[in-house]
């Protein structure tokens, strides 16, 4: 017998890879140290503030999309 992954499992693994990719620059200290600079300014913000804001937006959008996908499939429970 072959154990096949369900659609719900595949979706959650895919989103897990997405969230790992988005959050990897924060968790990997050498990359974070390269990003932790003030120059260049993006708008009125230093570069690191923009990077943290961008990561926050990407995580929020990922959670919204994950909720919508699971809600339409009926997989929330």
């Amino acid at each position: 017998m072959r154990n096949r992954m369900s659609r719900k499992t595949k979706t959650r693994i895919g989103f897990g890879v997405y969230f790992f990719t988005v959050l990897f620059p924060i968790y990997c200290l050498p990359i974070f140290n390269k990003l932790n600079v003030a120059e260049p300014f993006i708008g009125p913000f230093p570069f690191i503030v923009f990077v943290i804001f961008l990561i926050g937006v990407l995580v929020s959008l990922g959670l919204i999309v994950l909720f919508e996908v699971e809600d339409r499939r009926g997989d929330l429970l």
Side-chain angles (χ1 to χ4, degrees):
M1 292 178 143
R2 288 181 11 187
N3 290 333
R4 293 188 183 185
M5 287 192 298
S6 67
R7 181 176 63 176
K8 182 178 181 179
T9 304
K10 288 179 185 177
T11 301
R12 290 196 176 173
I13 288 174
F15 275 99
V17 170
Y18 168 76
F19 288 123
F20 179 79
T21 305
V22 168
L23 293 172
F24 186 73
I26 292 176
Y27 295 140
C28 183
L29 198 56
I31 294 174
F32 185 74
N33 286 336
K34 297 265 188 212
L35 294 174
N36 192 9
V37 294
E39 297 287 332
F41 283 89
I42 300 177
F45 302 114
F47 184 69
I48 188 61
V49 173
F50 175 74
V51 168
I52 297 298
F53 174 75
L54 182 64
I55 289 172
V57 168
L58 290 174
V59 167
S60 298
L61 288 175
L63 288 172
I64 291 169
V65 170
L66 177 61
F67 173 78
E68 290 297 326
V69 166
E70 288 194 351
D71 187 36
R72 290 183 187 193
R73 289 182 178 173
D75 290 339
L76 283 176
L77 297 176

